[in-house]
Amino acid sequence: MAGATSAAADRKIVAFCCRECAYAAADASANARTPLPPTVRLVLMPCTGRVSPLHLLSALAEGADGVMVAGCLLGQCHYREGNFNAVDRVAFVQRLLKSVGVEPERCQMFTMSAGEPPRFVAAVREMDRVIVGLPPLPRSEASGNREVPLAAARGAA
Amino acid sequence: MRAGVFLCECGGNISGVINLEPLAAHVRGLDGVVEVNVNQFMCGTEGRAMIEKAVEERGLDHFVIASCSPRFQGPTFERIARELRLGENAVAFGNIREGCSYVHGHEPERAQEKAKKIVEGAVARLHHMSDLPRHRTFLNRSVLVVGGGIAGISAAEELAATGIEVHLVERQQSIGGSMARLSKTFPTEDCAMCSLAPRLTGTATNSRIHLHALSDVTAITGPPGEFNVTVRHRPRYVNEKCVGCGECAAVCPVTYPNDFDFGVSERTAVHRPFANAVPATFAIDRKGWSPCKTACPVHTSAHGYVALVAKGRYEEAWRVASEPNPFPSVCGRICTHVCESECTRGNVEDPIAIAGIKRFIADHGAPAELPAPLPVFYDEPIAIVGGGPAGLTAARELAQFGYKATVLEALPVAGGMLRVGIPEYRLPRDVLQGEVERITALGVELKTSQRCGTDFTVDSLFNDGYKAVFLATGLHQSKDLPIPGLDQKGVLRAVEFLRAQALSEQMTTGKRVVVVGGGDVAYDAGRTAFRCGAEEVTLACIEDERTAPASSEEIEEGKEEQVAVEYSLVPIEILGSNGAATGVKFQRCTLGEPNERGWRPPVPVEGEYVELFGDTVIFAVGQAIVDDFTAGADGVTVERGQIGVDPDTMMTGRSGVFAGGDAAAMGPWTAIEAIAAGRRGARAIHNFLRGEQLVPVWDAEADKVKIPHTELEPFEPQARRIMKTLDGVARRTTWEEVRLGFSEEDVRQEAERCLDCAVCSDCKSCVTACPADAIDFDQKAWDEEITVGAVILATGHQEFDATRKLPLGYGRFQNVLTQSQLARLLAASGPTAGELKRPSDGQVPKRIFMLQCVGSRDCTSSGNEHCSAICCLFATLHSSLIKQHYPDAEITIGYTDLRAPGKAHEEYYRLVQERGVRYVRGRVGEILEEQDGSLTVRMENTMTGSKSEEPYDLVVLSAGLEGSKGTQDIARVAGVQTAAAGFIREFHPKLAPVDTQRAGMFLCGTAQGPKNIPDSIAQAKAAAARAISMLSTGFAMTPAQVAASDLEVCIGCGVCEASCPQTAITLTVGADAHSVVDPNVCRGCGICAADCPTGAIQLGGFSDDEILAEATV
């Protein structure tokens, strides 16, 4: 087992960010050189409505210790309702994680407007705080994959 | 795959944190990568040349750009790939600037590691990326401009000049927007209207601009280039015949706060906001039927006559009141006035005394002379059986349609229950007689002492040549209760007792009277008994005090006359001795559960009995039909005590025979319901005889509105006027009318309590006054569908609501105004013709204080963070105007920072300083109002730190700008986002300032953010140019990022069809049903792909494989 610091450095959080709000807020916070924990890895999505449980569970199964979905404020979705779908799917994945004994807080939803970079930064820092506070997800020795049941993922969509 | 990876230094922004050489070395070893290059600026020409060279020499088919955020330069590299014929979706991005070097500069080692992973992810993604199809799409060469302010009309003019058709939609009744409400404009101090008016006229007369005023955009669907727009046209109620003469406004009785003048003046319901309005036609501000009008069974415009009474126009008020109802005097006295129950003021205090007002106008507004007989157009005579309110109303209606109507009344006098049921002290005979005579004067024939079934029959009427019969025979018999002792002397029935008294005027009763019943008839019988010799009257009813059925007036007046009431008693026996009644034995009861008709039967309480003694017992426990008219009227049926009629046609079982009123009631047995039934009966007969649906039998209530009082302008509570009555006990011996009516002073004050909640009162004075016959109350809102290629949003701003700043007193203190209000007071065309008069007393203020940054530059929850940009110069302009007009004026401007950027603005600020306006850097703590309306301003000077308290005559708040309500609404409809303070967000604040996030939708003016007039115009022309450049080719390509369904995998479940917010997906029909995506409509959100249970639908550029390849590295 590595020490606390190196453990934190090894962690990975995949942040599925919608292009309209969260990614825009991320860009804006970055332009202001606001430091972020390097655990986070941004994945650009057209809308959080595109995020399916498959993406969240696969990411957790294949290397991520946490996943976050960051979208527009509810009611402000560029496509009207994509972020509501995302809220549902995140809640579903949380229930699924809980049922197999994985901490549900490894998967979280955040909303913000493009004009609220501080909210994006706060979301990432919060997620980092949670994930660094948890042990790494156990890794299957044989396959190198994590022991999260993937079978349900496709059907969950 | 032959992939290239291009690493960008970004001039040190990236390479200053990440060491790109080892990164390049790492990337070279990745599967499929054949070329890795590093450049200082990949987005520059050198970078492009590097990509071109690599594609040519190394045969690249995909490449990765590891540089800034793909939101920033992504489109540049996608275009390069397209131009190098690599197709759509050949580039993946590694965001190593915003996603790495910018945010991890403090941890370069971890940044280096992360950059590796980011580029690895992008390369992994490449393996799953394939070319995406795009289609040509037609572009409609027309543009929708939403908002007719200076920005909207500038854009419209520019577009029209290039030959593009423009639909300009304005929510208000005139175009002109905020600029039309200004007095002058800074820094040139030229008149706003003088420069605007020619532009308004030019817009209206431009043949390529289709102006839709008083209209809203309610939906925008479809793809850019071919948007389908729904425009809802709200009714003006004034048609194109209007010549703008203003005769209508001169007679309109409604005064309403003038929203165009920001409430510093009043306007009428029919109005034109300003003289140069475009279109120049007036419009009626009409929310619909006021609640009082809706509530009335005949839909009398109570609001209409109340408004006219407030102006002292009693004869016109009488015409409004009598138009649907021939009995305004009667209804002013004895109506159940449901109008008052629905009155909007009644939500907070006592409602308007509508009935009392109506009585006043009937007593004082009715014309002295009788009307002239109406011409008879149709030769079918009509017989009306029964001369009560239903029959007489039907007769008048039929006479107005052009029929000869004959009323046959069984009693020797006309009026029915109004005459023989309601006692004279409530409804004087001459009042009723006067209204009956107005009906007969129209040519209605009245034959009295003609009883149907005895003197004639329905058969004989048809034999005599009548073509239709209306039965309105009423309920002229008392119901009896099955209890012993009814046949004794001294037992009376209320209906018969009241009728005998009304006809003979000489009934007598014993000294002690017991009335069984608790409704209006019971009170009428009891109170009549006093006037027939009784000294003690006791009412006994089964209901308890709370559910007593009598009207509040009867209960109140009964109490004044000392009518005793016993509740919760059910009669079980009439006591008597020697054949004469001596009293009634009752059993105590409670009310049971309501039956299906809402009636609660009494439940006797065992063993509890009450005896009331009296020598006269009057039963008032209900009324029944006298059905002798059915003899000789085959087909007319009486069931459950009512004539059976079809509610839609009012026709009985016999063709040509109609019925209404109490005998065929569809509502409560009240006079006003009978009058309503008479109107319906007449219309039904007219339709029947003419063989078509000429007039609606039932009034459509489509227009009814109920406006919560909270949505109205704030109003002061004001007590309802109490009508004077004769003294309670003394009046028991007289037949004089008990209620004395309102005095003129009272009635006008009472009428002024009306809140004009529906604005237009439906008095129709304008219809009479209009010389052009232009008023059209039948107009309805309608939707128009138009197709446009592009949309420009120019919906503007609104002033910050200064009431949110409580300590500043706005909305509480009369002499605290906003700059917009001051602009109206300073405008030559404004309510004071440019004279500065303070609201409280009309005096010219000498000491004036202007406070800047109200709701702007304010990080508290009640304000906005942004600078509203125009307020410093807005206040400077107004100070300058006042100073020139009133050199004695002492003006102080309290500012946060004085901001005067822009051409000639600083110079103007200096000039106005030199004119003697005092600028003080300071913040105001609070403003206090003195007795005389003057104000004390408590301020901290932020230069010196000193606190001051200074007296002023007028305070003007420079309230900031926010996105207007219209801007919020259109953002929702158009699917574009708003940012802080409700302004629409542009696509990119620097590079695409007039684009929205939706392709084909552009933005200009203060809908985008605070700005002055020249900036708004410049931006409007830029937006027009964007629309022109988009539409100029006539064709465009559909985006690559759309969903597509794989027929081999799709199982036709339909989940995607249900989940698509754009309705871009349809399911084919048949055994091999599958989904089909319309790429013109799809906007590429990918919700369908996330929902698809089989993975058949994938989003172009965002397939599951692409996303997972990147996310799992």
Side-chain angles (χ1 to χ4, degrees), chain B residues 458-589:
Chain B
V458 169
D459 287 340
S460 76
L461 289 173
F462 281 109
N463 289 338
D464 290 347
Y466 289 105
K467 299 298 182 199
V469 174
F470 185 58
L471 296 172
T473 53
L475 303 173
H476 281 269
Q477 180 173 297
S478 282
K479 275 187 181 158
D480 272 340
L481 290 178
I483 59 171
L486 277 177
D487 51 357
Q488 299 175 86
K489 185 168 169 290
V491 178
L492 302 175
R493 281 130 184 110
V495 173
E496 287 76 2
F497 167 64
L498 290 169
R499 180 168 65 227
Q501 168 56 35
L503 293 174
S504 74
E505 303 188 8
Q506 49 192 319
M507 293 292 287
T508 52
T509 64
K511 300 287 181 211
R512 296 174 75 184
V513 175
V514 177
V515 181
V516 180
D520 282 358
V521 176
Y523 274 92
D524 287 345
R527 294 172 63 193
T528 296
F530 272 136
R531 289 157 176 86
C532 293
E535 289 171 3
E536 252 183 74
V537 173
T538 306
L539 263 58
C541 63
I542 57 172
E543 293 87 1
D544 56 32
E545 195 161 357
R546 203 170 50 81
T547 55
S551 67
S552 56
E553 284 92 345
E554 287 272 25
I555 292 171
E556 186 61 28
E557 288 173 17
K559 200 177 279 174
E560 287 165 12
E561 291 179 17
Q562 296 182 357
V563 173
V565 188
E566 297 287 340
Y567 294 101
S568 304
L569 294 178
V570 59
I572 53 171
E573 182 186 355
I574 312 263
L575 305 172
S577 126
N578 302 326
T582 59
V584 188
K585 182 175 182 183
F586 295 91
Q587 186 169 6
R588 185 67 67 189
C589 70

Side-chain angles (χ1 to χ4, degrees), chain A residues 5 8-12 14 16 18-21 23-24 26-47 49-56 58-59 62-64 72 76-83 85 89 113-115 128 154-155 157, chain B residues 13 69-72 95 97-99 101-104 106-107 110-111 114 117-118 121 125 220-221 972-979 985 987 997-998 1041 1058-1062 1083-1095 1097-1099 1102-1104 1107-1108 1110-1113:
Chain A
T5 315
D10 287 346
R11 302 299 163 76
K12 172 183 168 191
V14 177
F16 295 96
C18 90
R19 177 161 52 203
E20 305 302 332
C21 287
Y23 212 100
D27 283 353
S29 70
N31 285 325
R33 311 295 196 274
T34 314
L36 284 179
T39 44
V40 68
R41 294 261 288 279
L42 307 184
V43 176
L44 175 70
M45 301 298 270
C47 171
R50 176 66 191 93
V51 180
S52 81
L54 172 75
H55 306 151
L56 302 171
S58 298
E62 299 184 31
C72 303
Q76 290 266 302
C77 175
H78 184 61
Y79 304 99
R80 299 214 181 111
E81 55 207 38
N83 50 0
N85 292 36
R89 289 180 189 128
S113 87
D128 180 69
R154 176 62 79 182
Chain B
N13 281 321
S69 166
R71 285 183 72 260
F72 190 55
N95 177 2
R97 192 178 79 166
E98 284 85 346
S101 70
Y102 273 4
V103 292
H104 308 314
H106 58 302
E107 293 172 273
R110 288 179 72 184
K114 181 172 165 179
K117 288 290 182 186
I118 289 173
R125 194 172 181 126
I220 302 176
T221 57
R972 209 159 34 242
V973 168
V976 298
Q977 286 176 347
T978 53
R985 197 154 74 83
F987 188 76
Q997 300 110 319
R998 277 193 74 175
Q1041 187 201 312
S1059 69
C1060 178
Q1062 320 299 335
R1083 283 171 54 202
C1085 63
I1087 294 175
C1088 54
D1091 269 350
C1092 178
T1094 62
I1097 279 206
Q1098 293 292 336
L1099 180 65
F1102 290 92
S1103 67
D1104 286 335
I1107 294 166
L1108 288 176
E1110 182 178 345
T1112 55
V1113 167

